[in-house]
Amino acid sequence: MKKWMMLLSAAVIFVLIACQHEKPVPPLSNIPIKSYNCSSDTIYFQNDILPILVSNCAMSGCHDKDSHQDGVILTDYVAIMESDIVDRWDAYDSELQEVLTESGDDQMPPLPSSPLPTNTIEAIRNWINQGAINNQCMECDTTQFTFGQGIYPLLERNCLGCHGAGSSDGDFSNYPNIVDNIGTIWTRVSNNEMPPQPVGVGLPDCEKTIIQKWIEAGTPNN
Ligand code: HEC
């Protein structure tokens, strides 16, 4: 093939791909995309949507992993998206929002349960129309760096799943252990090695700042 033909076909392919991907489609993953701080215009899956689906739909006999009525599992992000009931950016084409607004035999949650509140359904609709992303927002206040309010909740959220009491990888579940290991903790955190997933991403800057400020303050038990 001549060089100009190769360039031309490369350009055509590029345009085709670019057109198909006008909107970003992040891969399905149960690891949420975190942001700081919460925007009132955005619906966050982990904060606003998942708790509703888990508490109203994902019980035994309904849409948990074992029961999966109609092949629908509503326990986590990947399961929900793989249940094929959400059409990203298009709530009105999404079975999830459709069944919530149905009445009679088709309504979800089924009779004799009441339908979900209108503002809840509206939130689900907006989440889908915003791309049905696995997002999560958290307040992150870098002035809040006491052990009790800043450090412990941060470790609990990000680390203790693997570093809980008795963990052979390092038990960071109490103040003395955390202080004893603060040097390595800081090294691993500042190098983006911990938490290990997603690889190389590490904690958001805001959370690193909280840890750093607490270390600079002399790791007080406050
Ligand atoms: C998904 C599980 C997981 C999470 C979440 C996680 N870690 Fe780890 N961590 C490990 C494993 C496994 C090791 C041991 C292997 C290694 O050293 O890389 C480890 C090792 C470490 C070590 C070295 C321990 C030692 O004794 O040398 C430190 C320090 C550490 N992690 C800190 C953290 C901090 C701080 C967080 C949260 C911000 C965190 N980790 C989150 C799995 C995890």
Side-chain angles (χ1 to χ4, degrees), residues 155 158-159 162-163 169-170 172 181 184-185 188-189 194-196 203:
L155 296 181
N158 293 292
C159 319
C162 302
H163 292 286
D169 297 320
F172 306 142
N181 290 283
T184 12
I185 290 178
R188 292 300 197 99
V189 163
M194 285 289 148
L203 291 179

Side-chain angles (χ1 to χ4, degrees), residues 194-209:
M194 285 289 148
Q197 296 290 337
V199 174
V201 173
L203 291 179
D205 288 346
C206 166
E207 289 190 327
K208 286 183 193 155
T209 305

Side-chain angles (χ1 to χ4, degrees), residues 74-95:
L74 301 176
T75 50
D76 60 83
Y77 182 74
V78 171
I80 292 167
M81 300 309 284
E82 287 181 344
S83 295
D84 215 13
I85 50 168
V86 173
D87 191 349
R88 286 179 149 163
W89 288 284
D90 192 351
Y92 287 97
D93 231 12
S94 296
E95 211 182 325

Side-chain angles (χ1 to χ4, degrees), residues 90-122:
D90 192 351
Y92 287 97
D93 231 12
S94 296
E95 211 182 325
L96 176 60
Q97 89 87 37
E98 206 176 294
V99 295
L100 297 175
T101 52
E102 215 99 54
S103 54
D105 285 350
D106 294 331
Q107 91 170 40
M108 288 289 150
L111 294 167
S113 301
S114 329
L116 297 182
T118 354
N119 61 344
T120 303
I121 298 176
E122 189 61 30

